[in-house]
Amino acid sequence: MGFLVLLASIISVEVGISVALIEIFLGVVAGNLGIKVLPWVSFLGTFAGVVLTFLAGAEVDIPLLRAKFKESALIGGLSFLFPFVLTFLFAWFIAGWDLRASEIAGIALSTTSLAVVYAVLVETGLNRTQIGKLIMAATFITDLATVLALSILFVQVNAFTIVFMLVSIALIIILPKISPWFFKRYGERVIEPEIKLMFFVLFLLMYLGDLGLSHAVLPAFILGLVLSQLYEKNKLQLQRMRVVGFALLTPFFFLKAGMNISISVLIANLSLLAAFFVVKIAAKFVGVLPVSRRYIPESATYTTLLMSTGLTFGTISSIYGLNAGIINKAQFSILVAVVIASAIIPTIIAQRFFSPKIGFEE
């Protein structure tokens, strides 16, 4: 696993493709050569997804989000709505899946991956530009709609769900108030108490989310969002946390995603896999490209391609459907493969042929 992490970085530098995509590809190869997802890899991968989402929220430009809320809401909202409806209809009427399985398909393939989008934007430096910040804000809207759809259609509530919600709200309110004092009192030390504070909070959200049959990704993103002004004043601290994430954690997130794919199952269902992929990408273009051309014409195709990516929430939705008995293993493999293909193919095309060449002010 350590060699795969190093190899992915070397290949990424040599060929100029996002390291996240190389890691996913190497994960597919490793998984189908018999390398298992060991518990420590699974844990690091799960935690990495939460950390990536937190970092993505921390880099959202709040003033820009307020100023461009209409654009973000339209791009993000349509990025969810069109794929959800069209994929649901395709799964139900064309693929012959039942109603609940079709709903899972619609949710899983409507997402945009915060993890992939953020990783690509950071690697290219676009996270510091207006276009990058607008894409992250729109991605948040898409994934918020995805989480709400999953919660409304397949809600499961226990006592810990309420605890998870209350603790999440409390942290979102309290942490921005105490973090400036904490950073001032304990910051600028080699032991990095600031990073450890955030990791503790994210661990707590993960633990309570598991108990409450939920997931820590959404509150982690909102937490990063409300702390973004603090990190704007402490850019070095954000840089240090990003280094920890990208050097140690995120490789296992992307490797783990690739290792969940069975090539033999996909070959047996290749035509259906291709059809779902085409439906998802076409739906994203129908929903996102027209509004992107109106508001960001110089980067409309690039924006649409990045909004077409999927990974974190798509995989989470598919796993939920499998564990709940709503979809079977073959349907799960198809959905996860489409999700991962949508993380790789649109991103490569976007980087190779449509990467913005115009300089945007920070």
Side-chain angles (χ1 to χ4, degrees), residues 202-218:
L202 297 179
F203 283 139
L204 179 62
L205 289 175
M206 287 173 61
Y207 176 65
L208 293 177
D210 283 343
L211 293 177
L213 306 176
S214 188
H215 201 280
V217 171
L218 182 61

Side-chain angles (χ1 to χ4, degrees), residues 135-297:
I135 291 173
M136 281 197 289
T139 301
F140 164 65
I141 299 295
T142 300
D143 286 341
L144 176 61
T146 300
V147 172
L148 290 175
L150 187 63
S151 300
I152 292 171
L153 293 175
F154 302 97
V155 62
Q156 285 189 341
V157 179
N158 60 20
F160 285 106
T161 307
I162 306 301
V163 174
F164 172 63
M165 293 173 60
L166 292 176
V167 171
S168 298
I169 293 170
L171 288 171
I172 290 167
I173 294 173
I174 295 172
L175 208 58
K177 300 180 184 301
I178 67 170
S179 293
W181 166 83
F182 190 92
F183 277 35
K184 184 177 180 180
R185 176 69 180 86
Y186 297 105
E188 300 301 326
R189 287 171 169 79
V190 71
I191 56 175
E192 298 292 352
E194 307 100 317
I195 295 179
K196 292 173 181 176
L197 170 65
M198 298 308 163
F199 279 8
F200 161 69
V201 170
L202 297 179
F203 283 139
L204 179 62
L205 289 175
M206 287 173 61
Y207 176 65
L208 293 177
D210 283 343
L211 293 177
L213 306 176
S214 188
H215 201 280
V217 171
L218 182 61
F221 182 85
I222 297 175
L223 197 59
L225 197 68
V226 298
L227 291 172
S228 61
Q229 299 289 357
L230 174 65
Y231 281 115
E232 179 66 22
K233 299 175 183 177
N234 296 269
K235 291 185 177 180
L236 182 60
Q237 185 57 44
L238 182 62
Q239 174 66 23
R240 290 169 176 165
M241 191 167 182
R242 189 190 300 153
V243 167
V244 173
F246 277 80
L248 173 65
L249 299 172
T250 61
F252 295 101
F253 174 78
F254 294 113
L255 284 170
K256 175 188 173 185
M259 293 170 74
N260 283 323
I261 295 299
S262 170
I263 292 179
S264 60
V265 172
L266 297 184
I267 292 175
N269 297 276
L270 197 57
S271 59
L272 192 56
L273 187 157
F276 269 111
F277 178 79
V278 170
V279 169
K280 171 179 177 169
I281 301 302
K284 289 282 187 178
F285 268 78
V286 170
V288 176
L289 187 58
V291 70
S292 296
R293 281 179 173 169
R294 177 177 180 181
Y295 293 114
I296 41 176

Side-chain angles (χ1 to χ4, degrees), residues 1-13 19 22-23 26 247 251-252 255:
M1 295 299 294
F3 174 71
L4 291 178
V5 170
L6 174 61
L7 181 62
S9 297
I10 293 173
I11 295 175
S12 174
V13 173
V19 69
I22 305 297
E23 287 162 352
L26 292 180
F252 295 101
L255 284 170

